[in-house]
Structure formats: C-alpha cells, structure tokens
C-alpha cells in the first residue's frame, strides 16, 4: 500500500515484483552514471581544452563512444529479456481466476470451482467503516492462497480496461473478445490494492482491484463459505 509523500514503488509482495524492483535499480544506476558522465564532459568542454581539435578528431575517442553505448544497451537488454520471459511463463498454476472488466466494476470466476463467481463493486464513501480506504475498498475481494502460482485470465465485456496491482507487479489489459493471461505468486499474506489503469469512461477511477492473500487452510474455508452462501 502506498503512503503519503512516497517517492518509490510499493513494497514487493511477489517474486516477480522483487525482480522488477531490482531491474529498476539496475537501470537507474546506469542512467545516473550516464547523466553524470555527460554533464562532466559538457562542463569540461566549456572550461578546459577538451575542445582541442586533436581530441575531437581522435579515432580512439570515436571508437569508445560507439562501443560503450552498445555495451550499456546489452547490460540493460539481457535482464530485461529475462524478466519478460519470467512474466510470460505459466507453469502448472494451482488456481485459475478469470477477471472480467465492466463499466464500472469487475467480475471474477474461479474456474477450478463450480459456480464460484461474484461481482466486485467499490464501496461508496458513505458506507465505509473505520480503517477502510476510500476509493479502494470493494464489497467482494479476490482471495488467493499464499505461495501458490495463480493464473489470471483477463478480459472485458464492453470497453478496454486494465487489471493492475502494483505490489504484485501486475498490469494486464482487459480487451473485449480476447483473453490475456498473467501469473503471480503472493509471497506474504496481506491485502493488496490496485485500480483499473485504462481510461474506460466516466467512472474509470471507481473500479478498484483488491486481492487478499491468505494461508491455504483459510482459503479453503473461504471457498466453502462462498459455495454455501451461493
């Protein structure tokens, strides 16, 4: 969950998000180095004899500023491609959830369980109880078991939506007539908040996503309760 005056990302709650944070820090260090180095060169050219013709026409300098950027691009590309592969890898998920976007709410189906489906609406401000978050709480949360690979199938019924959960490293477009899939593992128990990240109409900012990660025994109790309640 984000907090006031926060500058960085939310705390990672999945192995994938941890990898994304590491890659962000890796790329940021390279960008910072380049920025400082270029600033130094510009300053040196304005204040010293670096503008000497013998230096500017040097074959060695031209070789360096051609080869060095290529090496830097490789250092960024390799971990980036690895991450892209990990984000697309779905290997024997323990649970499959279908998330369908509507104007303006989400509906969910647990495809491994018969008749386990529900709609998830944002709780209006006047109905909030103490401790709940305005514009983020929903009447029915998505409950998932802890430390289990989860596959999410994301689609939409009317217009483009986006199913996004920053703490879990998820952001998947919901496209009408198409199923997009993503995977995640919640590595610690808790409640994780997200929102539709596609401008989908007048109430775009009022269709939050809430995922609650619980131990397996609690998840089985929840499934039993939902089946009995249905």
């Amino acid at each position: 969950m984000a907090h006031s005056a926060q500058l960085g990302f939310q705390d990672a709650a999945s192995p994938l998000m941890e990898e994304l944070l590491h890659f962000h820090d890796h790329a940021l260090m390279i960008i910072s180095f380049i920025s400082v180095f270029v600033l130094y060169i510009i300053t040196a050219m304005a204040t010293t004899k670096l503008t000497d013709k013998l230096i500017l026409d040097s074959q060695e300098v031209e070789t360096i500023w051609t080869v060095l950027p290529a090496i830097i691009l490789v250092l960024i590309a390799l971990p980036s491609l690895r991450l892209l592969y990990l984000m697309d890898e779905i290997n024997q998920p323990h649970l499959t959830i279908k998330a369908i976007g509507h104007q303006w709410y989400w509906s969910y189906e647990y495809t491994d369980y018969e008749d386990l489906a529900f709609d998830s609406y944002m709780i209006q401000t006047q109905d909030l109880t103490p401790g709940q978050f305005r514009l983020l709480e929903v009447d029915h949360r998505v409950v998932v078991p802890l430390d289990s690979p989860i596959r999410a199938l994301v689609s939409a019924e009317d217009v483009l939506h986006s199913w996004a959960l920053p703490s879990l490293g998820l952001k998947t477009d919901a496209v009408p007539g198409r199923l997009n899939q993503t995977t995640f593992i919640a590595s610690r128990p808790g409640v994780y908040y997200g929102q539709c990240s596609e401008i989908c109409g007048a109430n775009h900012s009022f269709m939050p996503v809430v995922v609650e990660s619980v131990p397996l025994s609690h998840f089985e109790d929840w499934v039993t309760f939902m089946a009995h309640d249905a």
Side-chain angles (χ1 to χ4, degrees):
M1 186 69 191
H3 56 79
S4 179
Q6 180 174 332
L7 296 178
F9 291 95
Q10 297 182 21
D11 292 339
S14 70
L16 177 59
M17 188 57 187
E18 291 178 3
E19 292 289 336
L20 288 171
L21 290 178
H22 292 158
F23 175 71
H24 168 267
D25 295 340
H26 169 74
L28 185 62
M29 289 300 297
I30 293 177
I31 293 171
S32 299
F33 169 77
I34 293 173
S35 300
V36 171
F37 180 71
V38 171
L39 180 62
Y40 166 75
I41 293 297
I42 293 175
T43 305
M45 290 180 65
T47 59
T48 68
K49 296 182 179 181
L50 276 180
T51 53
D52 187 273
K53 182 179 179 182
L54 294 177
I55 295 179
L56 294 179
D57 292 341
S58 171
Q59 184 68 39
E60 290 77 11
V61 173
E62 292 185 7
T63 301
I64 291 173
W65 72 42
T66 301
V67 174
L68 187 59
I71 295 175
I72 293 173
L73 289 176
V74 171
L75 293 176
I76 295 176
L78 289 180
S80 175
L81 292 173
R82 173 179 171 273
L83 261 180
L84 287 173
Y85 177 80
L86 290 176
M87 293 171 70
D88 287 337
E89 180 70 14
I90 299 178
N91 187 22
Q92 297 181 347
H94 294 176
L95 182 68
T96 299
I97 300 172
K98 183 186 290 184
I100 303 175
H102 308 264
Q103 289 181 312
W104 286 272
Y105 64 97
W106 294 96
S107 62
Y108 298 97
E109 301 175 13
Y110 285 68
T111 60
D112 300 283
Y113 297 89
E114 185 177 358
D115 299 328
L116 181 50
F118 53 86
D119 296 331
S120 180
Y121 290 88
M122 187 191 76
I123 299 178
Q124 300 300 315
T125 301
Q126 63 271 19
D127 298 325
L128 291 173
T129 59
Q132 290 185 322
F133 297 104
R134 178 176 173 269
L135 302 182
L136 288 177
E137 296 289 352
V138 295
D139 55 356
H140 292 96
R141 295 172 174 174
V142 178
V143 180
V144 299
L146 183 66
D147 291 328
S148 297
I150 310 296
R151 173 172 57 191
L153 303 176
V154 183
S155 186
E157 189 179 71
D158 33 48
V159 299
L160 291 175
H161 299 279
S162 183
W163 200 67
L165 282 157
S167 292
L168 297 174
L170 298 176
K171 187 175 183 181
T172 305
D173 285 340
V175 182
R178 176 175 177 176
L179 277 179
N180 289 328
Q181 68 177 4
T182 186
T183 183
F184 65 94
I185 299 175
S187 57
R188 53 189 174 89
V191 181
Y192 307 109
Y193 296 90
Q195 291 176 302
C196 174
S197 297
E198 195 76 55
I199 300 178
C200 57
N203 291 330
H204 152 69
S205 57
F206 304 107
M207 50 182 302
V209 179
V210 183
V211 170
E212 183 175 359
S213 172
V214 298
L216 181 59
S217 58
H218 293 187
F219 173 75
E220 292 174 343
D221 293 339
W222 176 82
V223 169
T224 302
F225 169 79
M226 292 295 291
H228 181 268
D229 189 57

